[in-house]
Amino acid sequence: MSNLRGNLSSISLTDVAQLLHVNKKTGQLKVVAGKIAGTLFVVNGDVIHAETPHSKGEMAAFEILEWDKGEFEFIAQKVQAPNSIRRSVPDLLMESARTSDSRKRLRTPFPSLKSVPWPTRQGDALLQGIKIYTEDRKIIPFVDGYRVFLDVMATTEQNEVQVLQAASILYDAGRLKLFEPEVQ
């Protein structure tokens, strides 16, 4: 039974999530944006889980909340989903906006996740003189000139923003170039 449906050109998913939150609804918010689909799982108005073909949990919620074209349908029903999102709806929406801004900023130097990040220095020389956070250090070994960004994300289990942020540090220091593999 569908309780709410609409077009994202008429109302944003942020507004829909706030509406479900204020009214303490339980069910699935299914969203189709072109060829991709995702679902937000809502219990008593709180988004507890999200899924897309590429991700689950918070990152899936951030991805879905960024969509501005497509259709949505909220189906009121009992929800069987893991509780992978522990943020309040206002906090989730705020973090989603911040993540979206970061993704857009990072996509300027890195327009394709199918690019190969190519380090210009090897070993200790790569990071010499660069301030780099512990989280980013976990990603750097996989930025090896062989893997595309998508592979680095899959191997490290880090999201797009985290991987591109680590690459951005190297890129800004002149220690990373991009290689675009030819598709045949």
Side-chain angles (χ1 to χ4, degrees):
M1 175 171 84
S2 174
N3 291 33
L4 179 66
R5 96 176 37 185
N7 190 301
L8 296 178
S9 62
S10 301
I11 186 170
S12 72
L13 285 175
T14 299
D15 291 340
V16 174
Q18 289 174 332
L19 179 67
L20 297 174
H21 177 66
V22 167
N23 289 290
K24 304 268 185 215
K25 295 296 182 182
T26 296
Q28 293 182 26
L29 179 60
K30 296 179 180 249
V31 185
V32 178
K35 295 180 181 178
I36 192 165
T39 304
L40 296 173
F41 297 85
V42 182
V43 174
N44 294 325
D46 292 321
V47 178
I48 64 158
H49 184 65
E51 294 182 3
T52 69
H54 307 295
S55 57
K56 293 182 181 184
E58 275 190 3
M59 288 315 296
F62 297 158
E63 181 183 345
I64 293 167
L65 290 166
E66 200 171 314
W67 298 342
D68 59 0
K69 292 182 176 78
E71 308 279 327
F72 69 87
E73 179 179 23
F74 180 75
I75 302 165
Q77 63 185 27
K78 186 176 179 181
V79 171
Q80 295 282 352
N83 194 359
S84 64
I85 299 174
R86 303 198 194 300
R87 294 177 188 266
S88 67
V89 168
D91 189 32
L92 180 70
L93 297 177
M94 227 23 172
E95 186 63 18
S96 173
R98 189 192 69 74
T99 300
S100 176
D101 288 345
S102 293
R103 181 180 287 117
K104 288 174 187 169
R105 178 182 54 80
L106 290 166
R107 279 303 191 95
T108 298
F110 309 117
S112 172
L113 295 178
K114 293 181 181 176
S115 298
V116 177
W118 191 278
T120 60
R121 296 184 183 181
Q122 299 300 316
D124 293 339
L126 180 63
L127 300 179
Q128 188 175 13
I130 297 176
K131 182 179 178 182
I132 190 158
Y133 297 103
T134 305
E135 313 80 70
D136 297 328
R137 286 186 182 272
K138 296 175 186 173
I139 296 167
I140 298 297
F142 301 97
V143 176
D144 56 12
Y146 297 101
R147 294 177 175 96
V148 298
F149 283 118
L150 288 170
D151 292 339
V152 175
M153 291 164 53
T155 303
T156 62
E157 296 182 350
Q158 300 296 310
N159 66 57
E160 174 184 343
V161 171
Q162 292 164 317
V163 169
L164 294 181
Q165 183 62 44
S168 179
I169 294 167
L170 296 177
Y171 185 81
D172 291 345
R175 310 236 176 120
L176 186 74
K177 292 185 178 183
L178 292 183
F179 175 70
E180 297 290 334
E182 290 184 33
V183 179
Q184 296 181 12

